[in-house]
Amino acid sequence: MSAIRLLLDCDPGLDDAIALALAMASPELEVTGLSTVAANAPIDTVTANAEKVMGRLACRFPLFQGAAKPLAITVRHSTDVWGGDGILPLAAPQRPAHRMAREEFIRRAVDADVVCAIGSLTNIAELIKNGHRPRRLAIMGGALGRGNATPHAELNIWADPQAAEIVFASGIDITLIPLDITRTLIVPADMTRHLAQSAAAPARLCGELLPYAGSNAHPAAIHDAAVIAALLWPDLFARRRGTLTVTTSGGEDGRTHFAGDAEGPHEVLTEVARDALFAHMQRRLCGEM
Ligand code: RIB
Ligand code: CA
């Protein structure tokens, strides 16, 4: 069976880094490109973070530096919400990542089997506005219950609600992994220690970064890794079909809504087998499965 070709649109971000490490450790997946978008931190910071992580994982695919600000509202970052500067504590790479121009980014985003969007949705909305449609989107974002950027909104959607509105209304096949299940994914200390002692680069990188989870604008939970895990091990998740919409103005802007409908265009993951997910992740990152 050929590998699933994916483009990662992200805002590294400690949990974005864990997601990329898991993807790079998984032969079922082929990462064909990475694009950055400002959400966790300003675009220069998240792009420099992406280069550091790509260097540690010996990634050979190209990097596209995407949107520095949202479509319509004033830019707002995790660093504004949680404090810190969002810089990942990693050395700069020996060689910078190969940069791709916008035309190449568009080509790879449209050609991928799935675009994994784990930052704000600005880059994805720009593609759609210009007539370029990814085949499928796997998105970490939204909260059907309490948010994390505000009581009503999850950070990736809050960072650019107008972009989310365009993406949700696009008719593109979407799987959404919301905060409601990802907020429980806080890696146990013994797993972090096991990863840090591994000879495998993806595991060692995760073991080195995880002690910083929950500090310097990095979330405590590894939210984004759930998107990659859902591609690898779909049976670990429960899901519902329906229709997603988003509030784009007022004090609850960025709030996501989900109307259940068996014929709906969207799939929302509703539960995760957390312990099994961590066991799979640990073995995969360490090259043991
Ligand atoms: O709410 C969690 C999301 O916001 C994750 O993608 C994390 O990286 C931050 O971007
Ligand atoms: Ca992210």
Side-chain angles (χ1 to χ4, degrees):
M1 181 175 175
S2 59
I4 298 170
R5 287 168 303 124
L6 73 90
L7 182 133
L8 191 66
D9 187 68
C10 57
D11 61 337
L14 191 149
D15 60 324
D16 304 69
I18 307 297
L20 181 55
L22 182 59
M24 294 302 289
S26 300
E28 304 93 324
L29 306 176
E30 179 193 352
V31 184
T32 59
L34 185 147
S35 48
T36 57
V37 63
N40 266 321
I43 191 66
D44 291 345
T45 301
V46 299
T47 303
N49 284 342
E51 292 215 81
K52 292 176 181 177
V53 175
M54 290 173 68
R56 285 289 297 270
L57 296 170
C59 298
R60 294 282 176 267
F61 49 77
L63 163 70
F64 174 69
Q65 178 170 311
K69 59 185 176 56
L71 296 183
I73 61 172
T74 304
V75 69
R76 48 197 191 188
H77 303 114
S78 303
T79 48
D80 304 327
V81 179
W82 297 330
D85 59 18
I87 295 174
L88 285 175
L90 298 172
Q94 288 175 349
R95 278 196 311 279
H98 169 64
R99 296 293 180 103
M100 57 179 150
R102 180 173 295 275
E103 294 69 27
E104 182 64 13
F105 161 65
I106 293 169
R107 192 182 69 77
R108 287 176 186 244
V110 171
D111 184 55
D113 296 311
V114 57
V115 172
C116 295
I118 57 176
S120 70
L121 293 173
T122 313
N123 291 337
I124 311 303
E126 291 280 15
L127 284 169
I128 294 167
K129 282 175 59 181
N130 292 299
H132 309 298
R133 294 174 63 81
R135 287 192 174 90
R136 181 185 170 208
L137 294 169
I139 299 170
M140 191 280 137
L144 307 183
R146 185 172 178 77
N148 58 354
T150 74
H152 314 291
E154 178 280 328
L155 191 123
N156 287 340
I157 305 302
W158 172 81
D160 194 342
Q162 283 69 23
E165 185 176 53
I166 289 170
V167 172
F168 290 166
S170 68
I172 294 172
D173 178 8
I174 293 173
T175 296
L176 184 88
I177 299 88
L179 183 64
D180 310 85
I181 60 171
T182 64
R183 68 185 345 140
T184 65
L185 301 181
I186 296 178
V187 174
D190 59 342
M191 178 171 163
T192 298
R193 282 193 295 275
H194 185 93
L195 294 170
Q197 292 158 9
S198 169
R204 236 181 14 262
L205 175 64
C206 294
E208 188 175 322
L209 286 177
L210 282 166
Y212 296 90
S215 68
N216 196 27
H218 300 302
I222 53 167
H223 305 277
D224 294 333
V227 173
I228 304 300
L231 294 177
L232 292 170
W233 309 302
D235 294 347
L236 296 183
F237 297 82
R239 58 201 70 227
R240 286 181 65 199
R241 294 208 69 88
T243 301
L244 287 160
T245 53
V246 58
T247 299
T248 56
S249 62
E252 296 194 5
D253 71 333
R255 181 173 198 143
T256 39
H257 310 271
F258 177 64
D261 170 3
E263 306 303 317
H266 303 138
E267 176 182 69
V268 171
L269 303 193
T270 54
E271 289 176 48
V272 60
R274 180 184 172 279
D275 293 345
L277 171 63
F278 281 155
H280 280 50
M281 277 187 65
Q282 176 172 302
R283 292 179 60 208
R284 178 55 60 90
L285 288 165
C286 293
E288 297 162 0
M289 74 177 272

